[in-house]
Amino acid sequence: MTNVSSILIYSPLFLITLILLASSIRRKDESPASTYCVCFYASLSCWFVCEILYFIITDPWWIRYVSDLKLAFIAFMAPFIFLLIISFYKLDRRFPRRLSPLLFAIPAVTAVLAVASPLHSLLRERFEVLSLYPLTTAVSVRAIWYYVHLVHSQALAGCAAAVILVNYKNLPASCRRGSSFMLLGLLSYFALSSMETLNLDNSALDLTLIGSGLCGFMFYFYILVNWGFNYLNIERREIFQYLDEGVVILDGEGRLIEANQSAQKLFMLPDKQRELISFNDLLDTLSERRILTRRQPEGESGEDLCFWGGAFPVFYHMRRQPVYGRGRVPDGKCVILTDVTNDRLFMERLREVAGIDPLTGLPNRYRYHELLRDLDSAENLPLSVIVGDVNGLKRTNDIYGHYEGDALLKAVAAVLHDCCPPEGYVSRIGGDEFVLLLPLHGEDEAKAVIDRINGALARMPDSPTRPSIALGCATKTGIFENISLLINEADVRMYENKGASPGEARV
């Protein structure tokens, strides 16, 4: 090999490096990875320039200086490679920023020593040019700082390779080939630089430079070219893991393939052999252990899961979505669990408030119809209904004001509530209308309740606004009797007790 052949080998590699450098700059990408790529290719280009000048210059002093000067560019390549790799795998957010300057401490010292190499022997103890033509050859004895620089560079390259290996599984199968090529580029750098360091090659070429060039080419085509795609998949992976919603992926047979951290914590999934678990069996097991209660909410797709493991119940709404492969037949399912605890508790509270009369605190007409529907069954027979209408409410409102009218209603409601049996229900269904529902109470028992109510009202102090109420009752004894007709019958009896016909009383 001659100087000319060495230059012919380095020149096209140098031109390719310049093209990659220009392409990296023209991308106008402000991401850290692109910045590190530009710095890496700039250092590699300067290294090629020094190697080409080494075979062009004929002055021994300049040959030694150029040979030392290239170390200034070599030293910075390893930190850029390391930062490029952790940036590609989105680990720069976890890498402490205060450690970044430390990565460049030794390269900075090496660069200063390389520029000032004629003034000291810390990089090379001896450098003698043996021949200039047809091949420039020299004898070099390395000094202490050269080995410090070498260990630092190799250590950072090793850390970059470790990052690739650790994060290899985090990429989808379609992206793993790129990681393999990046790892291959680093391994080529290691192998060739080791041969160069151990003087196992007698050629004039710098094998470390060749390995760095191969590493740089592979990095470009599998980081910058596929940057957006790989970045997107890595971000998807992180989003999947740290979603507040629990996400479980099932195969076609309902076995668990993967679960994010929220789902793992929710279902207490084991770390090992997770793929052997049937998801339905997992739900059944938690239900048997009283950790989980399942229910189907009205008017909604999916189902509610109530977890009782903590101090308070936690509600999750579970939806199962089919996952389609290349065909139209689903390959599996994606189970999504959304925390709806606040929504469910709010709805329960809303239903509770919506069913209560704000003035008397008794169930209102809405709640009354729910109670009537629930109690109209064979196990509650005989079912008695007492209908009541407060006497003199309009007169009290007209003469004494609505404040006294409200007090009158509250007093009647309190008496009805106190006289109602524990298993009965009292509701205010209108302005002055009340209804008592008495399951498992016959007609005689209902009349006894009416007597208690009238007696309690009669014992109240005599006054122009002393409360009184007209009451009427009816009892359902057969399952086929119409409850609406029963209520009408009680209403008729109430108006008879009021001393007026129903038509006259409603005017």
Side-chain angles (χ1 to χ4, degrees):
M1 179 175 289
T2 64
N3 289 348
V4 175
S5 59
S6 298
I7 294 173
L8 291 177
I9 292 175
Y10 282 135
S11 296
L13 297 178
F14 171 61
L15 291 176
I16 293 174
T17 305
L18 286 181
I19 293 173
L20 298 182
L21 174 61
S23 177
S24 301
I25 296 174
R26 289 186 61 185
R27 290 178 64 90
K28 297 180 180 180
D29 187 354
E30 297 181 359
S31 64
S34 295
T35 303
Y36 299 140
C37 267
V38 170
C39 296
F40 172 77
Y41 291 122
S43 300
L44 187 61
S45 301
C46 294
W47 188 357
F48 271 115
V49 170
C50 291
E51 284 296 330
I52 293 173
L53 291 176
Y54 179 85
F55 292 105
I56 294 178
I57 298 173
T58 58
D59 189 333
W61 188 91
W62 281 105
I63 291 176
R64 170 174 180 169
Y65 186 72
V66 168
S67 180
D68 290 338
L69 185 63
K70 70 179 182 180
L71 295 177
F73 308 110
I74 298 174
F76 285 101
M77 293 185 61
F80 290 138
I81 290 177
F82 176 76
L83 292 175
L84 175 63
I85 294 298
I86 66 170
S87 176
F88 174 74
Y89 287 101
K90 305 306 294 182
L91 299 176
D92 47 345
R93 289 172 289 186
R94 305 178 189 176
F95 186 75
R97 292 186 177 181
R98 62 179 179 273
L99 295 182
S100 297
L102 297 179
L103 298 178
F104 294 93
I106 291 178
V109 175
T110 303
V112 172
L113 295 179
V115 173
S117 61
L119 305 178
H120 61 82
S121 59
L122 294 176
L123 291 176
R124 303 183 192 276
E125 293 182 357
R126 185 168 66 92
F127 187 93
E128 295 180 4
V129 177
L130 300 179
S131 64
L132 296 174
Y133 184 83
L135 178 66
T136 300
T137 57
V139 175
S140 175
V141 179
R142 300 163 181 144
I144 182 64
W145 192 260
Y146 182 92
Y147 292 103
V148 173
H149 142 76
L150 182 65
V151 170
H152 176 264
S153 299
Q154 296 289 79
L156 285 182
C159 290
V163 170
I164 295 176
L165 290 174
V166 170
N167 289 275
Y168 182 83
K169 61 180 182 180
N170 291 337
L171 288 174
S174 59
C175 298
R176 291 177 180 174
R177 184 177 61 178
S179 290
S180 301
F181 273 88
M182 288 192 296
L183 183 62
L184 181 62
L186 282 175
L187 292 179
S188 64
Y189 167 79
F190 272 121
L192 295 177
S193 63
S194 298
M195 292 178 63
E196 179 77 20
T197 303
L198 299 176
N199 296 319
L200 299 179
D201 180 72
N202 295 323
S203 67
L205 297 177
D206 189 335
L207 296 183
T208 305
L209 175 58
I210 302 298
S212 300
L214 292 175
C215 184
F217 303 153
M218 293 182 180
F219 276 20
Y220 180 84
F221 289 108
Y222 289 98
I223 289 185
L224 285 183
V225 172
N226 298 314
W227 168 252
F229 181 66
N230 290 349
Y231 169 81
L232 180 60
N233 280 281
I234 295 169
E235 287 297 300
R236 286 174 178 170
R237 178 73 183 182
E238 289 193 358
I239 292 172
F240 172 76
Q241 284 298 332
Y242 296 105
L243 273 176
D244 290 334
E245 291 183 323
V247 181
V248 178
I249 309 299
L250 307 179
D251 62 10
E253 298 180 1
R255 292 177 299 185
L256 196 149
I257 298 177
E258 193 170 6
N260 66 354
Q261 293 184 6
S262 298
Q264 293 174 27
K265 182 178 179 181
L266 195 61
F267 291 110
M268 297 175 287
L269 294 173
D271 293 331
K272 296 181 179 179
Q273 297 182 341
R274 188 177 300 151
E275 65 278 2
L276 302 179
I277 299 175
S278 169
F279 186 66
N280 288 331
D281 291 344
L282 175 64
L283 296 179
D284 294 339
T285 301
L286 295 177
S287 299
E288 293 173 359
R289 294 168 58 187
R290 307 291 183 182
I291 297 175
L292 173 66
T293 303
R294 304 171 67 177
R295 71 177 185 180
Q296 182 74 34
E298 296 183 4
E300 294 187 27
S301 61
E303 61 180 310
D304 280 355
L305 305 181
C306 181
F307 292 86
W308 300 92
F312 301 97
V314 180
F315 293 89
Y316 277 83
H317 185 65
M318 182 175 68
R319 307 186 310 277
R320 303 191 188 207
Q321 302 291 340
V323 177
Y324 294 93
R326 296 182 178 179
R328 296 183 178 181
V329 179
D331 292 340
K333 288 185 178 180
C334 175
V335 180
I336 303 173
L337 299 111
T338 306
D339 189 346
V340 292
T341 302
N342 292 334
D343 295 341
R344 294 296 183 257
L345 294 179
F346 175 75
M347 290 302 297
E348 292 295 332
R349 179 58 180 164
L350 191 61
R351 291 191 185 99
E352 179 183 342
V353 173
I356 295 177
D357 175 50
L359 179 64
T360 62
L362 298 177
N364 61 12
R365 192 180 190 90
Y366 171 79
R367 180 59 178 154
Y368 157 74
H369 284 294
E370 286 188 338
L371 292 171
L372 188 63
R373 183 172 58 251
D374 294 339
L375 295 175
D376 188 15
S377 59
E379 59 268 18
N380 292 315
L381 297 179
L383 174 63
S384 293
V385 179
I386 300 175
V387 178
D389 189 279
V390 178
N391 296 320
L393 177 62
K394 185 178 185 304
R395 183 175 60 87
T396 301
N397 285 332
D398 293 342
I399 298 175
Y400 301 101
H402 286 277
Y403 179 81
E404 288 296 331
D406 291 345
L408 177 64
L409 291 172
K410 290 180 182 178
V412 173
V415 171
L416 294 177
H417 181 269
D418 293 340
C419 295
C420 182
E423 61 274 16
Y425 300 90
V426 185
S427 303
R428 182 191 176 198
I429 63 172
D432 56 357
E433 298 177 11
F434 293 84
V435 176
L436 283 77
L437 300 176
L438 307 176
L440 302 176
H441 281 63
E443 186 175 355
D444 293 338
E445 294 171 300
K447 290 180 179 180
V449 172
I450 291 177
D451 292 338
R452 286 202 303 271
I453 295 172
N454 289 329
L457 292 173
R459 290 191 295 271
M460 298 185 72
D462 190 12
S463 68
T465 59
R466 186 176 72 173
S468 66
I469 186 171
L471 300 168
C473 70
T475 301
K476 178 178 179 178
T477 57
I479 186 59
F480 297 106
E481 294 182 37
N482 192 313
I483 191 67
S484 298
L485 296 178
L486 182 76
I487 295 172
N488 289 337
E489 182 182 347
D491 199 49
V492 170
R493 292 179 181 179
M494 180 269 295
Y495 279 109
E496 290 175 352
N497 294 331
K498 200 176 184 69
S501 68
E504 293 172 346
R506 293 179 188 276
V507 174

